Amino acid sequence: MKAFPALLLAGLLAAPAAADEPAVRELSIALDGVQVLASFRLGDGMTAELRERIESGLPTGFLFELDLLRDRKRWWDESLDSTRIEVVAMFNAVTREYLVNTKLDGKLIDSRTLRDPEELEHVMTRFQAVPVFVLRSPSHRERYLIRVRAELGTGNLLGLVPVMRSTDWLESNKVRFRKP
Amino acid sequence: MDLRAQLARRSRDARWVAAALALGLILATLVYALVQRGSELPSALVTNRVLLFALWYANVVLILVILFVLARNLIKLWLERRTGALGARFKTKLVATYIGLSLVPVLALFFFASQLLQGAIDRWFSASLSQVLAQGDAVAHALQDTIESRNWRDAARLAQEIQGQDLADPAGRTAAGRRLTRGREETGADLVALFDGDDFVQAVLDPRSGLADLPEIGRALPREAARSGRAGRVLEPPGARGRLILAAAAPGGRPGGRLVVVVGTLLDPATATRSEELIQAYQTYRQLEIQKGEFKVSYLLMFVLVTLLILLASSWTGLFLARRLMTPIQAFSEAMRRVSSGDLDQRIEVAADAEMSSVVESFNRMTEELSRSRQLIERSNVELTEANRGLAEERALVAAILESLAAGVVALDGQGRVLAVNGAALQMLRLRGSEVAGLPLVELLESGARAELEGLLHGDAPERTASQVSFPVGGTWRTFDVRIQPLPGPDDGPAGRVLVVEDLTELIRAQKLATWTEAARRVAHEIKNPLTPIRLAAERLRERSRQPGADAGELVERSVDVIVREVGNMQHLVDEFSRFARMPGPQLAATDFAPLVADVAGLYRDLKPGVEIAAEVEPGLGELWVDPEQVRRVLINLLDNAVEATEAPGLVSVSVRRAGASVEIAVADTGRGVPPEDRDKIFLPFYSRKGRGSGLGLAIVHRVVSDHDGAIRVEDNAPRGTVFRIHLPARGAPLPETGG
């Protein structure tokens, strides 16, 4: 009997963090000289609603916000830079191809035509060693990290009010700059 | 609030309402234009989620603004009503009426329009339409799939046939080319191409197909076909219309080889366009279906916006009309309040319509008149105040003077009521100041005094009169000298009288005492005069009697003669004095002065040569009630003295005339006159300036005059001589006594 309230509380706390909620996962960074290479994926981001929207031909995609931070042990981390990765897919129903454009801070860095939906999901949700930041004044005494969240587009609150949906921020591992 | 500020505010309000209406009109026009334009925009743009998002928030912002303005108006109205502001109730009713009148149709319209819209949207996305579009899309795709499958089979067969050729060898290439050409002819394809791995080897085109140039197939297609055995693409052919449907296949359709054959069929433009339209229509439908909810919400918000706009316009119109009606009334109320608080310079300067403007003008004229009247009143008040202050000062001065007077002063109105009285009068008449004001004076006095004062006050003499009266005050008889001065009224008639009262009681008592002291001294002196010869005679007799043998006969006889003569003188003196003392009171009788005066004057006519005697009695004097014998004696005494004092040639005259309420008897001579220092003494008993006589003549005259309630005074005659003036009351017949 006594365990019931605790279980209820645990259930309530666990509810927001359901496993099928879209979230940025497997975030890691590596340094290539002064370049920060980020790898991450958007888990459970390609929902059925999103697929249907893509298949209807509406331009659909994700916007990833990335912040470069300097690690501070006893204080909040210092924000050094920020950037945005925008992935937009457009389906051509005549050719049955997906045109996927990827932009970094508004500049096109990748564009490809796909026919396979699985490949489309892979391209839109997985990023491998993307050079997202350049350390301007790197110091070997400092540790750096990034944090990422994804904006998933608009949704409706109570079926009436449009709101912007986004995932929580996820912080990466911390890396220390080493002189080549 | 100042009227000018109110006017300015009202003007601003009017401009604000006009601006708001104009803005609303512009917004409505813009929205309408946007909606109209939206129907012509590409569906991709119209269905853009961001655009919908922006529209939704624009709607929400507009709704919030309208709600805010509406709530502000209503809250202001509620506050005005709570504070009891003038017109708040009227405003509330008017706004409620306007909102009420517009609310029901607007809500009904909103409800039915929403239902209609939802029904329309649902009809757009009906199952039959969706099915038709899906079928069309499926047919279009099936056509492509069919062509692509046929191409793939042909490509696989050709690849199988060419597989044996060594493409690195020119002969092999030539053979492969020939097979491609023959294969294209056999299959009827518009394009046949050969790839060795990623490398393009050769392509054959149908010269009748309309393909002007070899399309860019790319390496992805053969690579995919090599990897998976088959691949397909749909391309827009360069320089041609229609769609090029490509299919790539490895030999036998099996993956793993390097050789790939691509077969393409050009879909004619008409068919391509139709199939494309079918596909696009379904795509557009799917897009709209996905955004159906957002459309509904956006349109509902638009309806809400319009509804609120109408409500806002209603409330604003109500407020505007109420304000337009209430502004002049509020100005009136404010002006009334200021006027009631004394600001008569208040004017209403509200621009009003024809009906109100006449009321405003009337009000302004009224306040102007009031202001002018008040200025006049204030000026008069100042003058009156000054006059009152002057009067008060004069009154205080008069009061101070009156209070400082030893004589009593009593002011009476026409009915004999006391108007004012000074302290001396109060003291003399034993009155109390708090009880006399407004009461008849005679009623305040004791009964014995009333008759005396009534006689004085009710006389007909308007001019100044003076009388010496005695009446009891506080139980004792006192003698007063009363002078009456008439007060002039507004029409020169007497408005009242002023009584100046002097208490002569003590003075008379002192005079009497002095008179009797002088009389006693003179009597003693007169008695002492004969006593000396009597004593001397008696002493001589005693001396002779002590001388034995002396002949005392002659001496005795002479001394006795002296004693007898002196005793006789003393006897005469005592008799005269006794007569003076025993003089009886006047026996009043109706007396005609004319014969009396003529008779007395006749006694002295021709008595002294050169001294003329004249007598004159005013004609019509009539009979007066006096004691004729005593009056005769008075006249004889006065004429006797006058004739004796007058040397020839001279004139002694007697005249009688009426003087107000009294009769004046004047006996004048041209003699040596009476020095002023002797005038106080001549009426004393035993005072004589002649050196002979008893000295009681003028004392008897004074006594007789006093017994007749009269007065006598002595004056210088002009040019010389003396005048004795006697004033006797001009009494008529006394009333017969009644009772015991």
Side-chain angles (χ1 to χ4, degrees):
Chain A
M1 254 336 248
K2 287 181 180 176
F4 178 73
L7 286 173
L8 181 64
L9 182 63
L12 287 173
L13 289 174
D20 55 353
E21 280 291 307
V24 177
R25 297 194 176 101
E26 299 170 15
L27 173 61
S28 64
I29 58 170
L31 288 179
D32 179 11
V34 293
Q35 272 200 328
V36 180
L37 307 176
S39 300
F40 57 92
R41 73 177 180 90
L42 176 65
D44 299 315
M46 189 60 78
T47 60
E49 183 194 354
L50 203 71
R51 284 181 194 280
E52 187 180 7
R53 189 177 172 83
I54 292 172
E55 294 296 329
S56 74
L58 290 170
T60 306
F62 306 112
L63 179 70
F64 298 93
E65 292 181 286
L66 298 92
D67 288 344
L68 174 64
L69 306 173
R70 182 172 65 84
D71 178 45
R72 287 194 287 207
K73 286 183 179 175
R74 294 180 185 85
W75 201 242
W76 286 280
D77 296 340
E78 181 189 10
S79 176
L80 298 176
D81 200 356
S82 63
T83 189
R84 294 149 66 97
I85 296 175
E86 187 180 6
V87 184
V88 177
M90 281 185 296
F91 178 63
N92 187 336
V94 176
T95 60
R96 285 186 280 195
E97 290 174 341
Y98 302 96
L99 174 65
V100 183
N101 289 330
T102 305
K103 295 178 179 177
L104 179 65
D105 266 347
K107 294 176 184 172
L108 187 66
I109 57 171
D110 184 68
S111 179
R112 63 182 75 182
T113 303
L114 306 171
R115 291 176 69 89
D116 183 9
E118 297 301 324
E119 192 178 2
L120 172 71
E121 181 180 351
H122 187 275
V123 169
M124 289 183 72
T125 59
R126 290 178 184 274
F127 298 88
Q128 193 63 39
V130 181
V132 288
F133 295 112
V134 174
L135 294 176
R136 303 191 190 286
S137 304
S139 168
H140 65 278
R141 285 193 295 271
E142 301 291 347
R143 294 200 306 172
Y144 302 95
L145 70 158
I146 67 168
R147 62 176 187 171
V148 180
R149 76 170 178 182
E151 283 188 1
L152 306 171
T154 57
N156 284 330
L157 183 65
L158 304 174
L160 183 69
V161 182
V163 290
M164 191 64 76
R165 294 182 302 142
S166 60
T167 64
D168 294 331
W169 286 101
L170 180 68
E171 291 188 352
S172 71
N173 57 312
K174 295 164 185 160
V175 295
R176 195 182 295 276
F177 173 73
R178 289 186 177 81
K179 288 183 180 176
Chain B
M1 186 184 291
D2 187 43
L3 285 174
R4 288 178 187 282
Q6 272 192 351
L7 189 62
R9 183 176 174 178
R10 191 186 143 186
S11 173
R12 282 200 303 273
D13 285 349
R15 284 200 297 272
W16 174 240
V17 169
L21 286 175
L23 184 66
L25 196 62
I26 292 169
L27 274 177
T29 309
L30 281 175
V31 169
Y32 180 75
L34 197 63
V35 170
Q36 288 296 105
R37 182 95 187 266
S39 61
E40 300 168 3
L41 288 174
S43 59
L45 182 58
V46 175
T47 56
N48 186 291
R49 211 166 186 189
V50 176
L51 181 63
L52 285 176
F53 198 73
L55 277 176
W56 195 94
Y57 273 106
N59 258 349
V60 168
V61 169
L62 277 175
I63 287 168
L64 288 178
V65 168
I66 290 168
L67 277 175
F68 171 74
V69 175
L70 193 61
R72 178 178 168 272
N73 285 344
L74 294 178
I75 288 171
K76 268 181 71 180
L77 209 55
W78 178 68
L79 287 176
E80 282 181 7
R81 194 171 166 140
R82 276 201 65 181
T83 53
L86 181 68
R89 199 172 289 271
F90 176 72
K91 275 186 191 174
T92 308
K93 286 180 181 173
L94 201 62
V95 171
T97 303
Y98 267 83
I99 291 180
L101 283 176
S102 57
L103 189 64
V104 174
V106 162
L107 285 182
L109 191 66
F110 173 76
F111 177 75
F112 286 115
S114 303
Q115 292 298 315
L116 195 65
L117 175 74
Q118 292 204 32
I121 291 177
D122 289 339
R123 275 193 296 279
W124 293 348
F125 299 101
S126 63
S128 56
L129 179 64
S130 172
Q131 198 172 1
V132 168
L133 290 173
Q135 291 297 332
D137 178 74
V139 167
H141 276 119
L143 175 64
Q144 285 189 18
D145 289 344
T146 303
I147 294 172
E148 187 180 318
S149 295
R150 190 189 66 202
N151 287 347
W152 178 74
R153 281 196 302 273
D154 292 339
R157 184 170 52 81
L158 282 173
Q160 185 69 30
E161 289 173 3
I162 296 171
Q163 187 180 21
Q165 300 295 332
D166 182 8
L167 296 179
D169 181 19
R173 282 179 177 262
T174 302
R178 281 199 299 271
R179 182 68 194 107
L180 284 178
T181 303
R182 196 171 62 248
R184 190 208 67 75
E185 291 171 351
E186 288 170 0
T187 59
D190 297 308
L191 166 69
V192 176
L194 178 63
F195 287 85
D196 181 14
D198 290 342
D199 298 331
F200 173 72
V201 178
Q202 189 175 356
V204 179
L205 295 177
D206 182 4
R208 298 164 300 176
S209 65
L211 287 172
D213 199 0
L214 182 66
E216 181 61 42
I217 296 171
R219 292 179 178 175
L221 181 68
R223 192 177 299 161
E224 183 184 342
R227 188 175 65 249
S228 61
R230 63 180 297 172
R233 289 284 188 277
V234 178
L235 297 178
E236 284 188 13
R241 298 168 60 198
R243 294 279 174 188
L244 184 63
I245 300 170
L246 299 176
R254 293 182 295 273
R258 283 182 56 84
L259 190 75
V260 172
V261 172
V262 177
V263 174
T265 302
L266 183 65
L267 207 58
D268 65 277
T271 306
T273 302
R274 287 194 192 97
S275 70
E276 196 170 322
E277 283 175 355
L278 283 173
I279 293 167
Q280 287 294 354
Y282 184 58
Q283 284 293 95
T284 304
Y285 175 81
R286 289 183 70 183
Q287 289 173 2
L288 292 174
E289 192 177 27
I290 286 171
Q291 293 180 309
K292 182 171 72 173
E294 290 160 7
F295 276 128
K296 280 185 181 178
V297 170
S298 294
Y299 277 110
L300 279 175
L301 287 176
M302 191 70 81
F303 286 151
V304 170
L305 176 68
V306 172
T307 303
L308 287 174
L309 265 177
I310 292 172
L311 289 180
L312 178 68
S314 300
S315 72
W316 226 334
T317 307
L319 279 174
F320 178 72
L321 287 179
R323 202 174 292 139
R324 193 175 178 82
L325 288 172
M326 288 308 299
T327 299
I329 296 172
Q330 282 173 335
F332 264 113
S333 171
E334 177 67 14
M336 290 283 192
R337 189 185 65 73
R338 285 177 178 247
V339 167
S340 65
S341 63
D343 182 10
L344 294 181
D345 294 330
Q346 189 65 36
R347 301 287 182 274
I348 296 176
E349 297 176 2
V350 173
D353 49 19
E355 289 82 2
M356 288 301 290
S357 65
S358 64
V359 181
V360 167
E361 282 176 14
S362 300
F363 179 85
N364 287 342
R365 267 202 306 276
M366 181 191 74
T367 53
E368 197 175 334
E369 284 296 323
L370 283 174
S371 178
R372 198 161 39 234
S373 301
R374 189 172 72 172
Q375 285 174 359
L376 287 174
I377 289 170
E378 284 175 350
R379 201 156 45 233
S380 302
N381 194 28
V382 169
E383 292 170 0
L384 200 59
T385 304
E386 287 296 319
N388 279 338
R389 191 161 56 234
L391 283 175
E393 288 173 355
E394 286 181 10
R395 195 179 297 122
L397 181 62
V398 169
I401 291 171
L402 287 177
E403 287 301 320
S404 66
L405 287 176
V409 178
V410 182
L412 305 176
D413 63 7
Q415 282 72 44
R417 290 189 291 261
V418 175
L419 295 175
V421 58
N422 73 343
L426 291 173
Q427 195 174 4
M428 285 178 196
L429 301 176
R430 301 288 194 274
L431 299 175
R432 278 188 285 189
S434 58
E435 298 174 351
V436 300
L439 294 176
L441 177 63
V442 293
E443 292 181 8
L444 297 169
L445 301 175
E446 295 177 21
S447 59
R450 290 179 186 169
E452 293 291 341
L453 274 179
E454 277 181 340
L456 291 173
L457 293 173
H458 295 166
D460 295 332
E463 60 269 17
R464 175 178 180 153
T465 59
S467 297
Q468 186 171 317
V469 295
S470 296
F471 49 79
V473 175
T476 58
W477 281 84
R478 303 190 73 84
T479 303
F480 298 96
D481 179 50
V482 180
R483 285 186 289 279
I484 300 174
Q485 176 72 40
L487 287 173
D491 50 354
D492 293 338
R497 297 172 184 185
V498 174
L499 272 67
V500 180
V501 183
E502 284 188 81
D503 191 350
L504 301 177
T505 308
E506 297 302 324
L507 179 62
I508 289 171
R509 188 175 295 145
Q511 282 181 347
K512 281 183 178 175
L513 182 62
T515 301
W516 283 112
T517 303
E518 182 66 20
R521 188 184 64 78
R522 286 183 177 277
V523 167
H525 178 71
E526 292 298 326
I527 290 173
K528 196 171 69 177
N529 284 342
L531 282 179
T532 300
I534 288 172
R535 190 180 71 185
L536 289 173
E539 283 177 355
R540 278 198 296 269
L541 283 175
R542 189 178 61 187
E543 288 293 326
R544 184 59 57 91
S545 67
R546 285 177 183 172
Q547 292 173 2
D551 185 8
E554 188 183 358
L555 180 63
V556 169
E557 189 174 348
R558 203 170 51 243
S559 298
V560 169
D561 286 345
V562 169
I563 290 170
V564 169
R565 188 181 68 242
E566 292 303 325
V567 168
N569 286 337
M570 286 178 64
Q571 185 65 48
H572 176 70
L573 183 68
V574 170
D575 288 345
E576 286 289 318
F577 191 74
S578 178
R579 246 195 325 272
F580 173 70
R582 286 204 313 270
M583 196 167 65
Q587 299 297 315
L588 300 180
T591 305
D592 189 352
F593 266 62
L596 177 64
V597 171
D599 185 35
V600 173
L603 293 176
Y604 291 91
R605 193 161 289 136
D606 300 330
L607 184 65
K608 195 171 184 179
V611 176
E612 188 182 348
I613 304 299
E616 181 186 6
V617 177
E618 184 179 287
L621 185 62
E623 293 182 334
L624 299 173
W625 280 81
V626 295
D627 185 332
E629 285 306 317
Q630 289 188 354
V631 171
R632 169 186 284 270
R633 190 169 179 185
V634 165
L635 291 174
I636 287 172
N637 279 336
L638 290 175
L639 281 171
D640 192 51
N641 288 341
V643 169
E644 186 183 350
T646 304
E647 298 296 330
L651 173 65
V652 174
S653 64
V654 180
S655 63
V656 181
R657 64 182 184 90
R658 184 177 289 276
S662 61
V663 172
E664 185 189 79
I665 304 169
V667 178
D669 63 57
T670 57
R672 58 181 173 271
V674 178
E677 62 272 16
D678 290 342
R679 288 178 186 172
D680 291 339
K681 302 173 186 172
I682 57 175
F683 295 110
L684 294 176
F686 305 110
Y687 180 82
S688 174
R689 294 173 59 242
K690 297 184 293 187
R692 63 177 181 83
S694 63
L696 290 171
L698 287 178
I700 290 169
V701 168
H702 189 271
R703 175 74 178 273
V704 169
V705 170
S706 297
D707 288 347
H708 278 78
D709 297 331
I712 184 170
R713 64 179 186 274
V714 58
E715 299 171 355
D716 288 334
N717 192 19
R720 61 190 171 90
T722 306
V723 178
F724 285 87
R725 296 187 189 277
I726 297 170
H727 284 266
L728 296 178
R731 293 193 183 102
L735 292 172
E737 293 185 359
T738 58

